Amino acid sequence: MILRESQPLLQEESVKRDTETTRIDDRTSSISTVETSTTSGNEKDGRIGMESVEETPPLANGTSSSSQPLKEEEAEVTTVKQNEIAIPPPAVCTTGGRSDFCDLRGDIRVDPNSWTVYYVATSENDTIHLSPENGNTSSFSVRPYARNDDPYAMATVREWSLKMVPPSDPDLPFCYEIHDDAGVIFSLAGYAGHRFHLFTDVLVPLFATARPFEGEVELLATDYQSWLVPLLKPITGALSRYEVIDIDKERQGEKTHCFSTLTLGLKGRHLKELSINPLQSPYRIKDFIHLLRTVYSLNKTTTTTTTAATKPQPPGDNNKSSAAAVPRLLIISRKTVRTFTNLRDIARMATGLGFRVTVAEPSAMQDLPASARVVHSCDVVLGVHGSDLTNVVFLPDGAVFIQVVPVALEWCARTFYEEPSTDMDVRYLEYRIGREESSLAGEYAEDDAVFTDPASFERKGWGVFKSIYLDNQNVTIDTQRFRPTLLKALAMFSQPNRTFNW
């Protein structure tokens, strides 16, 4: 970084033309396609307090009305025909889906004093292109947090304005600091203090946005959380060779930061949780998991294979098999809500079946590295639905993930953990408790609407639903009813380890 007088940061691009078709990979080329997604429709899909959204494929680069939508498998490349390369416009804002974001190239000035990003026009024809509508504008606004469908979360996120102005504009701020590398503006507001939302709304899309720059990128955090940023340093440090900038704090000195390449907001946010939209990023969730394994030194990578203990064993017989042949089971213990009230009975049964059992509470954000190591050392993770299950991202390939689903939480369980797990190379099992296994059975009659019509509480609002089913429900597992689920998990380890390709 260097200090210099304010001047247009004009970026010249030269492209070698060729008569043959050329493919340009987004990870290695300075010329990349603009890949977008959008949402449409407001039909209810059964989710609590949310409307359903659908993705539509992005428009091909260029402004020709004859451009055809890109297929998903074509989203990462640009095809060159007739000696021409389709160069994306220098300012493109993508709307719809779970997040809005703008990709900018040119003279870009980030003014924290007004929370405005100025894009300096180089000609009268310059404009901000909107995708997928393919319209244009001279101004736009972005809340750089990836959960557009949650008004409550987005209300806490600072809004940034993007303005296209001529070089002579009197409001154009002076460049206090000029950066040679790219920049990404993102927010740590919303639900960033919650482990699940930190990963799905911030870290995964931040990875999808920043990783293509291979460390040569500045991360500018708005709504900065001083307690959280140091805890994330292993991950942010793997994405950028710089410290995270508290861009809001720069207002105190009116320090305008200038870039030639900037992304305002986070891209790659899939409609599916803990996933990356393949139309917006060349990376996948397995690439993110590989990054986690690197930064936290998780070296197990694959699970135990055993031909032992595929049948029930009496307690105390575990020594008959070598330690390496016995799968390790981690039982995630919650201590506030949605707890196992008979944890010892569950652990005793699992031990008798042939597991080496570990009980832990990997929930505190401050213990993220320790949680990662504990989870990665195990072959099976068992837990009641909740944010602690986000730790499945640390499991080795081929591990088994058993989610215990309390009364009325089927949609939450499926959306937040079952569906994402299919892309993580883990094997998913589910145990839905019966009414008698829920603590709600001691408070409500069998024919109460709490059991017969949970949707009626959903219609009263998320707060009402949450107060009953999430904040006031514990689980007492019927060990005999649960036994077949553990046996199924155990039998999976009699099969040879699968081979996974990154």
Side-chain angles (χ1 to χ4, degrees):
M1 308 174 190
I2 55 175
L3 303 181
R4 61 178 70 157
E5 294 183 357
S6 176
Q7 57 182 331
L9 306 177
L10 303 182
Q11 183 183 37
E12 297 182 359
E13 297 181 354
S14 61
V15 180
K16 181 179 180 180
R17 301 185 181 274
D18 200 313
T19 56
E20 297 181 355
T21 299
T22 303
R23 291 182 182 270
I24 301 176
D25 191 312
D26 285 340
R27 303 189 194 188
T28 58
S29 173
S30 61
I31 300 176
S32 61
T33 61
V34 179
E35 300 165 352
T36 63
S37 70
T38 185
T39 63
S40 62
N42 288 316
E43 296 180 0
K44 274 283 187 181
D45 65 354
R47 293 182 295 169
I48 301 168
M50 299 182 183
E51 303 296 327
S52 64
V53 287
E54 299 178 354
E55 292 182 350
T56 58
L59 296 178
N61 289 308
T63 58
S64 171
S65 60
S66 63
S67 297
Q68 298 297 318
L70 291 178
K71 296 180 180 179
E72 180 171 321
E73 62 270 17
E74 298 172 342
E76 298 178 17
V77 297
T78 299
T79 301
V80 183
K81 296 181 179 180
Q82 299 179 353
N83 293 338
E84 293 184 359
I85 289 181
I87 301 176
V92 178
C93 291
T94 300
T95 62
R98 305 301 285 273
S99 65
D100 298 337
F101 60 89
C102 298
D103 282 319
L104 310 171
R105 294 178 294 108
D107 185 348
I108 306 152
R109 310 190 184 191
V110 180
D111 179 19
N113 191 53
S114 61
W115 293 296
T116 301
V117 174
Y118 289 91
Y119 180 89
V120 182
T122 58
S123 73
E124 294 181 357
N125 295 326
D126 275 354
T127 186
I128 300 170
H129 292 252
L130 297 180
S131 180
E133 294 88 349
N134 205 28
N136 57 74
T137 184
S138 60
S139 63
F140 193 71
S141 62
V142 171
R143 294 184 186 271
Y145 181 81
R147 203 166 195 87
N148 269 353
D149 54 354
D150 190 327
Y152 181 83
M154 298 305 290
T156 68
V157 179
R158 188 176 306 284
E159 183 176 81
W160 280 75
S161 297
L162 171 63
K163 295 183 179 180
M164 177 167 283
V165 297
S168 59
D169 191 294
D171 294 328
L172 188 63
F174 173 85
C175 281
Y176 174 87
E177 190 164 358
I178 297 177
H179 300 266
D180 295 327
D181 296 319
V184 174
I185 298 178
F186 70 104
S187 173
L188 287 173
Y191 304 132
H194 183 280
R195 179 171 295 202
F196 173 79
H197 288 284
L198 173 65
F199 275 81
T200 196
D201 298 341
V202 179
L203 292 179
V204 172
L206 180 62
F207 168 82
T209 307
R211 190 62 168 176
F213 296 107
E214 299 181 344
E216 305 299 319
V217 60
E218 297 266 14
L219 304 181
L220 286 65
T222 189
D223 307 309
Y224 190 92
Q225 304 287 342
S226 59
W227 69 273
L228 182 57
V229 171
L231 303 179
L232 302 180
K233 188 171 181 179
I235 299 174
T236 58
L239 297 176
S240 171
R241 61 191 183 96
Y242 304 105
E243 296 290 332
V244 175
I245 296 174
D246 180 355
I247 191 61
D248 298 335
K249 188 176 181 180
E250 300 291 84
R251 303 178 72 239
Q252 300 173 6
E254 298 186 1
K255 299 178 181 178
T256 299
H257 293 255
C258 297
F259 296 86
S260 59
T261 301
L262 181 91
T263 300
L264 171 59
L266 296 176
K267 61 175 66 175
R269 178 62 157 94
H270 207 288
L271 295 180
K272 184 164 68 174
E273 305 291 351
L274 293 173
S275 300
I276 297 175
N277 187 341
L279 302 182
Q280 295 178 359
S281 174
Y283 296 96
R284 302 295 179 266
I285 189 63
K286 291 189 293 185
D287 298 306
F288 176 73
I289 290 174
H290 184 67
L291 178 79
L292 294 178
R293 290 177 179 174
T294 299
V295 301
Y296 291 122
S297 300
L298 308 178
N299 301 316
K300 184 178 180 182
T301 67
T302 58
T303 55
T304 299
T305 299
T306 177
T307 56
T310 56
K311 295 182 180 181
Q313 296 182 7
D317 271 9
N318 291 336
N319 291 332
K320 294 180 180 180
S321 302
S322 66
V326 180
R328 294 190 61 181
L329 167 65
L330 170 64
I331 303 177
I332 295 180
S333 171
R334 298 174 62 94
K335 294 183 179 179
T336 54
V337 295
R338 281 162 281 138
T339 64
F340 286 121
T341 61
N342 61 335
L343 182 61
R344 289 187 178 182
D345 294 337
I346 301 169
R348 186 180 300 112
M349 179 184 66
T351 301
L353 292 178
F355 287 100
R356 284 187 295 157
V357 177
T358 299
V359 177
E361 186 184 13
S363 58
M365 196 77 75
Q366 290 78 0
D367 294 333
L368 194 58
S371 297
R373 290 190 292 271
V374 169
V375 174
H376 191 69
S377 70
C378 295
D379 304 299
V380 183
V381 164
L382 164 65
V384 180
H385 173 79
S387 63
D388 299 339
L389 298 188
T390 310
N391 288 293
V392 298
V393 299
F394 300 122
L395 281 171
D397 293 344
V400 176
F401 166 35
I402 306 174
Q403 180 174 204
V404 175
V405 184
V407 170
L409 297 185
E410 293 82 5
W411 177 85
C412 295
R414 181 180 69 253
T415 302
F416 298 141
Y417 296 111
E418 178 184 359
E419 292 177 352
S421 69
T422 60
D423 299 328
M424 296 183 189
D425 287 337
V426 300
R427 293 175 277 188
Y428 178 83
L429 294 176
E430 183 173 281
Y431 179 78
R432 297 188 181 186
I433 71 170
R435 186 190 71 86
E436 67 282 355
E437 294 173 278
S438 170
S439 62
L440 297 177
E443 300 182 40
Y444 302 93
E446 185 175 353
D447 60 353
D448 193 282
V450 165
F451 297 109
T452 62
D453 189 17
S456 65
F457 297 95
E458 174 187 335
R459 291 190 291 270
K460 293 178 181 179
W462 172 250
V464 174
F465 184 93
K466 179 176 180 291
S467 67
I468 296 174
Y469 298 104
L470 287 166
D471 298 342
N472 194 37
Q473 184 173 193
N474 294 322
V475 174
T476 303
I477 290 289
D478 180 336
T479 54
Q480 289 307 306
R481 183 171 179 264
F482 183 55
R483 182 187 181 94
T485 302
L486 279 184
L487 286 174
K488 186 174 182 179
L490 192 61
M492 290 178 174
F493 295 98
S494 65
Q495 305 168 7
N497 282 342
R498 297 180 298 171
T499 299
F500 299 98
N501 297 318
W502 289 98

